[in-house]
Amino acid sequence: MTRYFNTEGLCKPDKHYMVRLDERLTQIKQQYIDRGKYFVINRGRQYGKTTTLMALKSFLKNDYIVISMDFQKIGSEEFKNAETFVYAFSKIFLSALSKVDIETDEKENLLHPLSNFTNNDTDKNLRELFIRLSEICSAAPKPILLMIDEVDSAANNQVFIDFLAQLRGCYLDREDSPIFHSVILAGVYDIKNLNLKMRSHEEHQYNSPWNISADFDVDMNFSAKQIAEMLKEYSADHNTGMDSAIIAEEIYRYTSGYPYLVSAICKIMDEKLPYNEIFSVSGNIWSKAGVSEAVKILLRSRTTLFDSLIKHINEYPELKSMLHAILFQGEQLTYNQYNHTIALACMFGYIIDNGANIQVANRIFETCLYNLFLSEEELASAISRIARQSKNQFIADGRLHMERVLEKFVEYFNEIYGDNDEKFIEKYGRKFFLLYLKPIINGTGNYYIEAQTRDAKRTDIIIDYAGEQFVTEMKIWRGNEYNERGRQQLTDYLNYFHQNKGYLLSFNFNRKKETGIKTLTLGNKTIIEAVV
């Protein structure tokens, strides 16, 4: 069977093109499982948690008895009380244990304590359950590893908190009473946050029963090198002749290695771009232009990952406000694990700590958020309405005329917002440019913001339209010296992108300023500077 890129659930190397996990599995085994750690794989949606667990199950089968469970198989009604939960847990545990590859007689001996408990009239409570589980672990020919996926399904259920407390007690007493050698719980929410949902805002917020958990710091993002190895396998099967290292770097630039996003871009390039008019003739799909087109298609798609992002920022207004401030005001917030909003955003995988401050985790999420925030204001925005009405004047022969875009922006901006004070323009000016730009390039072009240059004074936007790139710097004018430095920074950035022409948009509050557009030459670079 021909392998393909998979974005729907579990990935298997014999069926799907996927990053090889051997290095990650070895690290988890040596640093956590062999040392008998209990821990949580806590990552955002579609981060490869289930794929990692299933790969671990196969990787460890010679050294451990692996019991793999999924709490999605336990219905909400079965979490109502200890009796219904214990019965459901026991049935799933027995089913998993019956599939373990050990001698039949040994398997029967292991199954007996729990199957007898499940089928008789003994009280179904957590204490009795763990007595049987201890008996199984004591009789097992190999150490038992318990893996529970989708622990999020247990949210808001006191019986699960009690289950964790029992498990913690058994862990602390395991020298005298055998229990699982290692336990892995996997989900988006960490156990502390599950506990938070159970209690009032003030009561015992950080008193989680899962304080025995080891910190899990294995990097589950894909590196550019790992993506390149996957693409080499695909290229060998399909004779693409692609430069896998260059394409992998380009995919990584957009995704920062977020597993679902990597697979989604590759899937679009493999399955959709061959029928795209742009590539049906040239056939040069596996190129930077192909990656850009795939990103554009992905951002216009309705995906469960984007749905989760939108759901979470609507559920948590403080999260939405923080992301909005980072993107549009260039707020530089220091990472603090005790800041609830920051911790929440990190847990969902929407932001990362870059060592100096927090930033949105990848360009795909950034652009998705920009598009959302801008669309919420687009219909009410006067400058966006003008851009929609006059869009045709900026496109000729299929090319974007960026100088004309800046020229008319200066005109419209001064006309609409020129009477507003400095504070207003400093806060909203760059947002207005994006509101103006978006309807002009919508449907054909992409844009993204360079996170490392985004602050309260400066933001670089990269616009890609029909395969042509426009490097544009937006900045707040802070005097001639700062302005000259900004021009030099732009020329350095043009060198990085192998461009000879760049664009500079300055929001200038000097009363003697000269608004308009002019052409500058710095060395071998041409800079089109617009001042509002």
Side-chain angles (χ1 to χ4, degrees), residues 91-357:
K91 297 293 284 186
I92 296 174
F93 189 97
L94 286 168
S95 176
L97 183 55
S98 68
K99 298 171 185 175
V100 172
D101 186 18
I102 56 177
E103 295 292 334
T104 303
D105 290 344
E106 287 182 330
K107 188 181 295 185
E108 289 298 324
N109 289 334
L110 291 181
L111 289 168
H112 178 72
L114 192 57
S115 61
N116 187 52
F117 167 69
T118 304
N119 295 324
N120 64 26
D121 294 332
T122 305
D123 286 344
K124 303 297 187 295
N125 58 57
L126 288 168
R127 184 176 62 83
E128 292 292 337
L129 169 65
F130 275 89
I131 289 173
R132 273 59 179 193
L133 294 176
S134 179
E135 291 177 17
I136 292 172
C137 293
S138 177
K142 292 184 285 188
I144 295 181
L145 164 65
L146 175 65
M147 302 191 308
I148 304 178
D149 198 6
E150 299 293 346
V151 291
D152 307 77
S153 302
N156 295 324
N157 293 291
Q158 183 62 47
V159 68
F160 179 62
I161 303 298
D162 296 338
F163 171 80
L164 290 179
Q166 286 283 337
L167 194 55
R168 176 184 181 275
C170 290
Y171 169 86
L172 296 175
D173 196 38
R174 60 181 176 172
E175 294 297 326
D176 298 320
S177 300
I179 197 63
F180 307 115
H181 174 78
S182 181
V183 173
I184 307 174
L185 306 180
V188 173
Y189 290 89
D190 63 26
I191 299 306
K192 184 181 293 184
N193 277 284
L194 286 178
N195 197 36
L196 279 170
K197 290 186 175 186
M198 294 298 302
R199 305 182 184 277
S200 68
H201 180 68
E202 297 296 334
E203 179 192 4
H204 305 302
Q205 283 201 30
Y206 301 106
N207 188 23
S208 169
W210 201 240
N211 58 6
I212 59 171
S213 177
D215 292 334
F216 182 75
D217 58 3
V218 174
D219 187 1
M220 293 181 66
N221 288 311
F222 297 154
S223 67
K225 182 179 178 182
Q226 289 174 319
I227 298 170
E229 291 300 318
M230 175 181 68
L231 293 179
K232 283 180 183 177
E233 294 183 17
Y234 174 88
S235 186
D237 290 344
H238 296 268
N239 299 313
T240 66
M242 79 169 88
D243 188 324
S244 57
I246 289 178
I247 303 307
E249 285 284 355
E250 191 72 2
I251 292 172
Y252 184 83
R253 285 176 65 241
Y254 281 103
T255 65
S256 297
Y258 196 112
Y260 169 82
L261 297 175
V262 171
S263 295
I265 289 173
C266 291
K267 185 179 179 68
I268 291 170
M269 294 176 76
D270 176 48
E271 298 181 7
K272 293 188 176 181
L273 293 197
Y275 305 100
N276 188 299
E277 184 178 352
I278 299 174
F279 300 98
S280 60
V281 177
S282 69
N284 193 22
I285 292 170
W286 294 92
S287 60
K288 287 186 177 182
V291 175
S292 177
E293 186 66 19
V295 167
K296 185 180 76 176
I297 293 171
L298 175 60
L299 285 167
R300 293 173 66 87
S301 303
R302 183 76 180 262
T303 72
T304 54
L305 181 59
F306 295 160
D307 285 349
S308 292
L309 172 60
I310 304 308
K311 172 188 172 186
H312 286 143
I313 66 172
N314 287 328
E315 282 182 347
Y316 302 99
E318 68 279 12
L319 175 60
K320 185 174 185 178
S321 296
M322 181 184 74
L323 292 170
H324 191 281
I326 291 172
L327 295 178
F328 289 108
Q329 275 79 60
E331 288 283 353
Q332 297 190 331
L333 305 175
T334 304
Y335 174 79
N336 187 300
Q337 69 273 27
Y338 296 112
N339 181 300
H340 178 68
T341 304
I342 291 175
L344 200 67
C346 284
M347 184 180 70
F348 291 141
Y350 301 146
I351 66 171
I352 58 171
D353 174 16
N354 68 8
N357 45 56

Side-chain angles (χ1 to χ4, degrees), residues 245-490:
I246 289 178
I247 303 307
E249 285 284 355
E250 191 72 2
I251 292 172
Y252 184 83
R253 285 176 65 241
Y254 281 103
T255 65
S256 297
Y258 196 112
Y260 169 82
L261 297 175
V262 171
S263 295
I265 289 173
C266 291
K267 185 179 179 68
I268 291 170
M269 294 176 76
D270 176 48
E271 298 181 7
K272 293 188 176 181
L273 293 197
Y275 305 100
N276 188 299
E277 184 178 352
I278 299 174
F279 300 98
S280 60
V281 177
S282 69
N284 193 22
I285 292 170
W286 294 92
S287 60
K288 287 186 177 182
V291 175
S292 177
E293 186 66 19
V295 167
K296 185 180 76 176
I297 293 171
L298 175 60
L299 285 167
R300 293 173 66 87
S301 303
R302 183 76 180 262
T303 72
T304 54
L305 181 59
F306 295 160
D307 285 349
S308 292
L309 172 60
I310 304 308
K311 172 188 172 186
H312 286 143
I313 66 172
N314 287 328
E315 282 182 347
Y316 302 99
E318 68 279 12
L319 175 60
K320 185 174 185 178
S321 296
M322 181 184 74
L323 292 170
H324 191 281
I326 291 172
L327 295 178
F328 289 108
Q329 275 79 60
E331 288 283 353
Q332 297 190 331
L333 305 175
T334 304
Y335 174 79
N336 187 300
Q337 69 273 27
Y338 296 112
N339 181 300
H340 178 68
T341 304
I342 291 175
L344 200 67
C346 284
M347 184 180 70
F348 291 141
Y350 301 146
I351 66 171
I352 58 171
D353 174 16
N354 68 8
N357 45 56
I358 60 173
Q359 65 182 57
V360 180
N362 57 68
R363 287 176 180 167
I364 301 289
F365 284 168
E366 274 201 340
T367 309
C368 182
L369 287 167
Y370 272 118
N371 287 343
L372 172 68
F373 292 146
L374 292 173
S375 69
E376 290 177 343
E377 302 183 38
E378 198 170 354
L379 290 178
S381 167
I383 201 160
S384 183
R385 182 169 59 254
I386 289 175
R388 286 195 303 273
Q389 294 170 349
S390 58
K391 175 180 177 178
N392 291 339
Q393 68 176 303
F394 306 117
I395 312 297
D397 301 324
R399 296 184 61 223
L400 176 66
H401 284 247
M402 192 64 193
E403 292 178 42
R404 181 71 171 166
V405 170
L406 290 178
E407 178 186 341
K408 298 305 289 184
F409 175 75
V410 171
E411 177 185 328
Y412 297 144
F413 186 89
N414 288 327
E415 179 183 323
I416 299 171
Y417 307 110
D419 293 334
N420 285 281
D421 61 21
E422 177 178 332
K423 186 176 180 180
F424 175 85
I425 295 174
E426 184 171 349
K427 185 174 182 180
Y428 297 110
R430 285 171 291 189
K431 181 194 286 189
F432 289 140
F433 179 69
L434 293 174
L435 280 166
Y436 170 77
L437 175 70
K438 189 170 177 286
I440 294 173
I441 66 170
N442 192 38
T444 302
N446 295 328
Y447 72 93
Y448 64 85
I449 308 298
E450 278 295 324
Q452 64 266 33
T453 68
R454 182 183 54 226
D455 58 31
K457 298 177 181 178
R458 175 187 174 205
T459 297
D460 288 325
I461 177 173
I462 314 301
I463 303 162
D464 191 322
Y465 192 92
E468 191 173 2
Q469 281 190 325
F470 303 89
V471 180
T472 305
E473 179 177 318
M474 295 181 285
K475 68 181 183 64
I476 305 298
W477 194 87
R478 301 294 185 192
N480 289 324
E481 184 178 344
Y482 179 80
N483 197 47
E484 290 297 325
R485 191 161 63 248
R487 291 170 181 171
Q488 185 57 52
Q489 288 171 334
L490 179 55

Side-chain angles (χ1 to χ4, degrees), residues 4 7 22 35 50 53 63 140 147 196 236 303 329 435 492 516:
Y4 59 94
T7 57
D22 301 57
R35 296 177 180 178
T50 301
L53 290 182
D63 299 317
M147 302 191 308
L196 279 170
T303 72
Q329 275 79 60
L435 280 166
D492 294 341

